Amino acid sequence: MNKDAVEAKPMASLFHPDQVLKISGTDLLCDLDLTNDEVAYLLDLASHVKRAPKDYAQAFAGKSIGMLFEKPSLRTKLTFQLAIGQMGGDSVFCEGPIGVREPLKDIARNLDRWVNGIVARVYAQTTVEELAHWSSVPIINALSDAYHPCQALADVLTIREHFGSLAGRKLAFIGDGNNVAQSLMLTAVRLGMDFALGCPQGYLPDPDVVAQAEGLAAVSGATIQITHDAGTAIDSAHAVYTDVWASMGQEQEAAERKKAFHNYQVNEELFSQARPDAVFMHCLPAKRGEEVTDSVMESSRSVVFEQAENRLHAQKALLLMMLT
Ligand code: CP
Ligand code: NVA
């Protein structure tokens, strides 16, 4: 019998659009604003939404979100707009510095009157925290200098789809201990995945975030390895992840970072040290020839566009859990 046919019934009743589990907090400012159970539920809901998008076509009818972006975006902007539109809601978008033309606390209290939730892409983490303080509607962090929680959710969904499970798999992140790495570390280890970071000296993640991840790993039984040797990090990995060496806002450090990271390129030689069935992952946009070669990006083991697609489904699940 077709396995999907067996699963379809219980899944459909578990994820009825009117009975979606609500998240316990108000905002998603960092990954830890979701509990382990909420992440697990979100992944299942995202899979269901992906399989049966029409079931949710009216879930957002009459609702709207405001999107405030201080930094450029392709994937995050378009997938949030599509997610809301495909569920019958509306979005409005505003790009530019937050808190310059008028105080942040006024911006938050204007949007409050118009929308049901705010999706914000910012430089400082304190900007989303302040928005949350002044706003009565939920705030979703759509990337800050510290975290990228929406990306991490789509990424673990992608790994689960590919391998069928997460616990016991190894995720190796090669490169900067940045926002994407920090969110992935927190999200992966709470789901029981081993996490290894291969990172040059001076570009380690925030020690407080590492300590939080170690706490989560102690509960789930996952391991965390942080090393300056890319080969050690990548050894036996199921998924090999990298991101740009200079993130948005670090453009002036690009030349210096290029030197610091030159041994951390994910090329065919380094990638061959992972498991033979390992997948290559990148949040995108990628700089081919820097953190990854064109051949690895374009290889049959690259799942970068699956990740991009899953941004849509994971964010639909998130919006359903936060705003309906
Ligand atoms: N991965 C990601 O967040 O892409 P954008 O910067 O294009 O939104
Ligand atoms: N670390 C990158 C991620 C882009 C999606 C940045 O912050 O620019």
Side-chain angles (χ1 to χ4, degrees), residues 60 102 161 218 226 248 308:
F60 245 78
E102 59 189 301
E161 281 176 353
I226 297 183
M248 292 180 277

Side-chain angles (χ1 to χ4, degrees), residues 159 163 168-172 193 234 236-240 274-275 277-280:
I159 298 171
F163 289 105
R169 310 279 174 191
K170 176 177 172 182
L171 172 60
M193 294 188 74
I234 218 168
S236 326
H238 292 83
V240 176
R275 286 170 57 99
D277 60 348
V279 292
F280 171 72

Side-chain angles (χ1 to χ4, degrees), residues 108-256:
R109 288 175 295 174
N110 273 265
L111 263 78
D112 246 13
R113 305 293 175 113
W114 305 324
V115 298
N116 303 98
I118 299 173
V119 174
R121 168 165 285 198
V122 301
Y123 287 95
Q125 179 67 14
T126 50
T127 304
V128 280
E129 289 166 1
E130 234 188 291
L131 281 172
H133 176 79
W134 288 102
S135 167
S136 65
V137 299
I139 306 292
I140 296 175
N141 179 351
L143 181 147
S144 67
D145 288 348
Y147 303 107
H148 197 359
C150 301
Q151 180 70 51
L153 293 169
D155 294 339
V156 289
L157 178 64
T158 308
I159 298 171
R160 193 176 75 164
E161 281 176 353
H162 191 87
F163 289 105
S165 62
L166 293 169
R169 310 279 174 191
K170 176 177 172 182
L171 172 60
F173 189 100
I174 308 298
D176 192 12
N178 64 13
N179 44 8
V180 172
Q182 296 200 146
S183 281
L184 266 178
M185 176 167 56
L186 291 168
T187 302
V189 300
R190 72 198 311 192
L191 295 165
M193 294 188 74
D194 295 334
F195 183 86
L197 175 67
C199 168
Q201 226 140 20
Y203 297 94
L204 290 166
D206 179 343
D208 291 341
V209 176
V210 176
Q212 285 174 324
E214 280 167 348
L216 295 168
V219 175
S220 72
T223 62
I224 298 176
Q225 179 185 34
I226 297 183
T227 164
H228 297 310
D229 183 57
T232 303
I234 218 168
D235 182 50
S236 326
H238 292 83
V240 176
Y241 203 118
T242 190
D243 184 16
V244 289
W245 292 339
S247 285
M248 292 180 277
Q250 297 170 337
E251 291 79 6
Q252 72 294 347
E253 297 172 26
E256 180 193 325

Side-chain angles (χ1 to χ4, degrees), residues 72-77 121 148 151 248 283-285 311:
S73 170
L74 173 72
R75 280 147 292 274
T76 310
K77 176 184 176 186
R121 168 165 285 198
H148 197 359
Q151 180 70 51
M248 292 180 277
C283 55
L284 304 178
R311 294 293 304 276

